[in-house]
Amino acid sequence: MIDIIVRETNRKAQQIYERERVTNSAKLASMHTWKTLTTSEFEAYLGILLLAGVMRSNYVHSTELWKTSSHPIFRATMSIQQFRSSFIRFDDGRTRELYPYRGGTGLTQYIPSKPAKYGIKVWCSHIIPHQRPNIYRVSIIWTNGKTPSLGTVNKRRTFLPPMFANPHGREIQSTLYGFSENISICSYIPKKNKSVVMLSTMHYDKDVQGPKEKPAMIIDYNKFKGGVDNMDKCLSEYSTKRKTNR
């Protein structure tokens, strides 16, 4: 991944410098030549971001971090000018994905417990068509087909069949199941007029457990979901996000 970032960063920076030389010759004399970014330099850049996160200084202005009263690693790693002049790019611009997002799409979610609050929750990039024209759903399966996924489903999602979302008239502790080639869905009624809908790529039967006859999907989800919450807490506590020019 680092090799891709370094390659695309150098490509984008070279494009910007070449465009400036062609369109604005007056600046040509004052422009510096782009110095090719190396893997070691990028790893050092990441180290600075991580250190700022550990010190809870991600929102402290970079000028303050490079003062003699701050941690000496900042000044020893690179100059403040080099830190500020990074053209960080992660792809060639054709495969870019955005996670934090407030736009009015059918995939945008509001999760108050997450750092970004609003965004598109993405598990993978494998998209399969739904029965209705021009509507797609995320199948929640990694492109390599080897990483199982399990999660809850918002009952307002358009791809969800009405019988799975509607709890009215169904018996308490009853479960509806649906199966496709590599994904399964269940709708469980824990109490009157309430349904819990799960989507999984690792469960392929109607297994239920315990006196409340909970589906195995829900049992496994409750068992492992704490790891995701702890990860989100650590990411928020030691965030490496910084203000950028984009």
Side-chain angles (χ1 to χ4, degrees), residues 14-183:
Q14 290 288 0
Q15 284 183 353
I16 293 176
Y17 274 71
E18 289 299 326
R19 185 170 64 244
E20 286 295 328
R21 289 190 178 95
V22 173
T23 60
N24 195 349
S25 59
K27 287 186 176 181
L28 179 59
S30 62
M31 285 192 65
H32 300 287
T33 302
W34 171 253
K35 180 183 177 182
T36 301
L37 178 68
T38 65
T39 300
S40 297
E41 290 172 336
F42 181 71
E43 290 175 344
Y45 177 82
L46 293 179
I48 288 178
L49 295 180
L50 291 173
L51 177 60
V54 171
M55 296 174 59
R56 296 183 175 86
S57 301
N58 58 307
Y59 288 109
V60 176
H61 197 280
S62 57
T63 303
E64 298 295 323
L65 296 179
W66 262 260
K67 286 185 175 180
T68 56
S69 57
S70 184
H71 202 296
I73 289 183
F74 292 107
R75 302 188 306 279
T77 303
M78 65 178 61
S79 67
I80 188 173
Q81 290 78 14
Q82 185 178 6
F83 179 78
R84 290 174 173 176
S85 63
S86 299
F87 284 84
I88 303 300
R89 291 294 183 275
F90 297 90
D91 53 44
D92 61 4
R94 296 176 297 178
T95 59
R96 186 171 300 132
E97 296 181 10
L98 180 63
Y99 298 101
Y101 187 64
R102 288 176 174 265
T105 71
L107 296 175
T108 304
Q109 298 185 35
Y110 172 66
I111 307 178
S113 61
K114 303 294 184 181
K117 307 297 183 185
Y118 291 88
I120 297 177
K121 196 173 184 181
V122 177
W123 286 268
C124 67
S125 60
H126 178 67
I127 306 298
I128 59 177
H130 188 50
Q131 289 85 348
R132 295 171 58 187
N134 301 323
I135 293 181
Y136 295 85
R137 59 185 173 127
V138 181
S139 70
I140 312 183
I141 180 172
W142 294 98
T143 52
N144 62 14
K146 298 179 181 180
T147 304
S149 299
L150 172 66
T152 57
V153 180
N154 190 318
K155 291 184 285 292
R156 291 176 295 181
R157 296 303 174 196
T158 56
F159 68 80
L160 191 65
M163 65 180 68
F164 283 83
N166 186 8
H168 299 292
R170 293 173 55 189
E171 294 183 6
I172 297 176
Q173 298 178 9
S174 64
T175 305
L176 283 177
Y177 292 91
F179 301 94
S180 67
E181 181 179 354
N182 52 21
I183 194 168

